[in-house]
């Protein structure tokens, strides 16, 4: 089984997000970036399957600006065998949508014959969680979303446990399939220095987006980006009757 | 690999691990340097082995710290109900059903 893993370069989870003064987006210049945490989980699962001999090759993929190569190097250090960087300009990278990513993944899968695509359930920057289902639709493959456990399912199938509202859902999907990783699937390993060094020798292929013929014209327009409202400070009341009076005033208790 | 190279490697690995240290890498890197310079005159081979093992243990511990920190952050952001609270709620609901 050849697995393609999608990794996205996002603003690091520990960074305090700031909105640009003109409200056109968030500040990304001079801010630490790293691999989307959910993509790390997807990658870890693919590497684990390879270690269990259930997968033969793990290829990391990223669609993004020139700096996305850093994230691919990290993916190689964490155990991917090869990496594919579909490059766009930094300007275009900011306007990419799940649909464009799915379209690009579809092209790569068709060219290189993969048996599975592993993705994070969502990226921590746009939180859209759409890439995996759109890709499954485009490829007409079964999907196993929000996976929390992946096992061999016998006769060309995989058994996947999914996290859904109020419980777990166990499904059998026929290979090839698309998987999206949930938080509890595994504990991703850390990219150690020796592995980072070794990763420098692994192949990273760079493909300009126009060579794939994928149209990345934006379909949505960002009208405004604003900070979440700040929680207002509460007040103190003298005694119970003052509290009841306040509650009545606000209409929380019937008079 | 010679003993010297192993110690230098350990230092580099620890330095790398310290880059992401919560609240700035300086605290970690200063401590790291201090810990190594404190033992710079150690000659006994078994004792050096012990110190290297200790350094490797520290690497494992920091890895665990980073992974827990990230896991906690994700859980807090995307899963509003705490697992323990959910379990306790379920237990409560089950007991109410029996009444």
């Amino acid at each position: 089984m050849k697995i393609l893993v999608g990794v996205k370069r996002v603003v690091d989870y520990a960074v305090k997000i700031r909105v640009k003064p003109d409200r056109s987006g968030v500040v990304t210049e001079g801010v630490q970036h790293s691999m989307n945490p959910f993509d790390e989980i997807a990658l870890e699962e693919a590497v684990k399957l390879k270690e269990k001999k259930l997968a033969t090759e793990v290829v990391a993929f990223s669609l993004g600006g020139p700096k996305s190569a850093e994230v691919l190097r990290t993916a190689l250090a964490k155990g991917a065998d090869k990496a594919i960087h579909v490059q766009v300009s930094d300007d275009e990278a900011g306007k990419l949508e799940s649909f464009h990513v799915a379209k690009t993944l579809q092209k790569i899968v068709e060219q290189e014959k993969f048996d599975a695509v592993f993705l994070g359930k969502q990226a921590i920057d746009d939180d859209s969680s759409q890439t995996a289902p759109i890709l499954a639709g485009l490829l007409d493959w079964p999907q196993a979303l929000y996976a929390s456990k992946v096992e061999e399912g016998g006769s060309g199938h995989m058994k996947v446990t999914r996290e859904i509202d109020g419980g777990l859902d166990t499904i059998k999907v026929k290979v090839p399939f698309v998987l999206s990783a949930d938080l509890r699937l595994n504990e991703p390993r850390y990219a150690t220095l020796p592995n980072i060094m070794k990763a420098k020798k692994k192949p990273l292929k760079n493909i300009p987006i126009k060579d794939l013929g994928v149209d990345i014209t934006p379909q949505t327009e960002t009208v405004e980006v604003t900070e979440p409202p700040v929680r207002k400070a509460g007040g103190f009341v003298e005694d119970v009757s003052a509290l009841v009076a306040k509650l009545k005033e606000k209409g929380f208790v019937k008079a | 690999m010679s003993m010297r190279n192993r110690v230098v490697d350990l230092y580099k690995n620890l330095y790398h691990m310290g880059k992401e240290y919560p609240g700035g890498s300086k605290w970690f890197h200063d401590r790291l340097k201090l810990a190594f310079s404190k033992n710079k005159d150690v000659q006994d081979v078994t004792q050096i082995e012990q110190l290297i093992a200790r350094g490797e243990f520290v690497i494992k511990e920091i890895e665990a710290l980073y992974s827990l920190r990230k896991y906690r952050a994700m859980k807090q952001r995307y899963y509003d109900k705490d697992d323990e609270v959910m379990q306790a709620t379920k237990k409560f609901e089950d007991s109410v059903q029996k009444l």
Side-chain angles (χ1 to χ4, degrees):
Chain A
M1 189 162 73
K2 249 178 96 178
I3 306 174
L4 183 65
V5 184
V7 294
K8 185 177 187 180
R9 179 176 180 266
V10 297
V11 173
D12 190 79
Y13 79 98
V15 170
K16 172 101 178 66
I17 302 292
R18 282 182 301 124
V19 174
K20 283 185 193 163
D22 65 355
R23 293 183 171 184
S24 63
V26 298
V27 179
T28 52
E29 290 84 21
V31 166
Q32 200 201 333
H33 283 66
S34 58
M35 191 193 297
N36 174 34
F38 291 108
D39 294 344
E40 278 182 337
I41 297 169
L43 174 67
E44 177 67 26
E45 196 60 25
V47 173
K48 278 213 171 107
L49 288 177
K50 198 192 159 197
E51 285 166 355
K52 281 189 223 157
K53 308 270 181 240
L54 286 170
T56 51
E57 192 177 37
V58 177
V59 181
F61 159 93
S62 193
L63 170 61
K67 283 184 183 155
S68 292
E70 293 164 15
V71 167
L72 287 170
R73 285 282 167 216
T74 313
L76 292 169
K78 283 171 185 266
D81 302 295
K82 286 198 292 191
I84 301 171
H85 180 193
V86 178
Q87 198 168 330
V88 295
S89 71
D90 279 329
D91 260 6
E92 290 167 330
K95 294 192 180 83
L96 287 173
E97 292 159 23
S98 304
F99 180 67
H100 304 135
V101 184
K103 274 278 188 189
T104 314
L105 278 163
Q106 182 195 12
K107 288 272 182 202
I108 299 286
V109 170
E110 282 167 358
Q111 277 180 6
E112 307 212 5
K113 303 274 172 277
F114 285 95
D115 306 295
V117 181
F118 284 17
L119 303 163
K121 69 166 184 136
Q122 68 194 98
I124 60 164
D125 52 0
D126 58 18
D127 288 323
S128 72
S129 23
Q130 295 180 99
T131 309
I134 296 175
L135 178 65
L138 290 172
L139 291 167
D140 201 14
W141 285 5
Q143 63 182 14
L145 306 179
Y146 310 116
S148 65
K149 200 173 182 186
V150 180
E151 296 157 289
E152 168 85 83
S155 61
H157 286 73
M158 293 300 278
K159 194 171 128 191
V160 179
T161 307
R162 309 173 52 230
E163 286 200 17
I164 54 170
D165 283 347
L168 296 172
D169 178 28
T170 308
I171 56 167
K172 252 171 104 175
V173 283
K174 197 171 193 296
V175 180
F177 70 111
V178 177
L179 176 134
S180 82
D182 209 325
L183 185 63
R184 279 174 273 260
L185 181 57
N186 57 48
E187 287 170 24
R189 68 197 68 187
Y190 198 80
T192 56
L193 193 58
N195 287 338
I196 291 172
M197 291 306 174
K198 278 178 216 151
K200 287 185 178 165
K201 293 195 187 92
K202 289 183 180 176
L204 194 159
K205 193 159 79 179
N206 200 316
I207 310 171
I209 186 88
K210 60 176 185 296
D211 289 10
L212 291 173
V214 177
D215 179 17
I216 51 162
T217 319
Q219 292 177 316
T220 42
E221 187 195 344
T222 304
V223 181
E224 193 184 56
V225 176
T226 50
E227 305 247 3
V230 184
R231 193 171 171 268
K232 282 187 198 132
F236 288 93
V237 286
E238 298 272 305
D239 48 25
V240 177
S241 56
L243 173 68
V244 173
K246 282 259 183 202
L247 289 172
K248 277 181 184 165
E249 188 189 303
K250 304 240 180 218
F252 293 129
V253 276
K254 287 206 179 99
Chain B
M1 204 191 280
S2 75
M3 192 66 101
R4 186 188 149 74
N5 281 351
R6 281 176 61 201
V7 174
V8 172
D9 257 25
L10 178 68
Y11 187 85
K12 283 183 182 170
N13 289 340
L14 278 161
Y15 191 88
H16 169 73
M17 296 304 295
K19 286 177 189 167
E20 243 187 272
Y21 199 76
S25 55
K26 199 180 176 301
W27 183 90
F28 189 90
H29 288 155
D30 288 350
R31 288 295 168 100
L32 175 64
K33 198 168 178 184
L34 204 71
F36 272 71
S37 53
K38 200 174 80 187
N39 293 315
K40 69 179 163 45
D41 296 324
V42 177
Q43 294 293 330
D44 181 36
V45 177
T46 48
Q47 206 188 337
I48 297 174
E49 286 288 355
Q50 276 172 8
L51 288 167
I52 291 176
R54 203 171 111 199
E56 272 155 10
F57 173 76
V58 172
I59 292 180
K60 287 270 166 296
E61 290 287 293
I62 309 166
E63 267 181 41
L65 167 73
Y66 289 171
S67 109
L68 180 71
R69 181 171 169 240
K70 195 177 278 184
Y71 177 82
R72 280 270 171 86
M74 289 303 114
K75 204 168 133 189
Q76 199 190 4
R77 269 176 228 179
Y78 293 107
Y79 305 80
D80 43 3
K81 280 184 212 150
D82 203 281
D83 269 353
E84 282 160 33
V85 176
M86 285 211 8
Q87 272 172 18
T89 313
K90 192 162 185 315
K91 206 173 155 192
F92 167 76
E93 283 169 5
D94 287 348
S95 62
V96 170
Q97 292 258 299
K98 278 181 203 145
L99 290 175

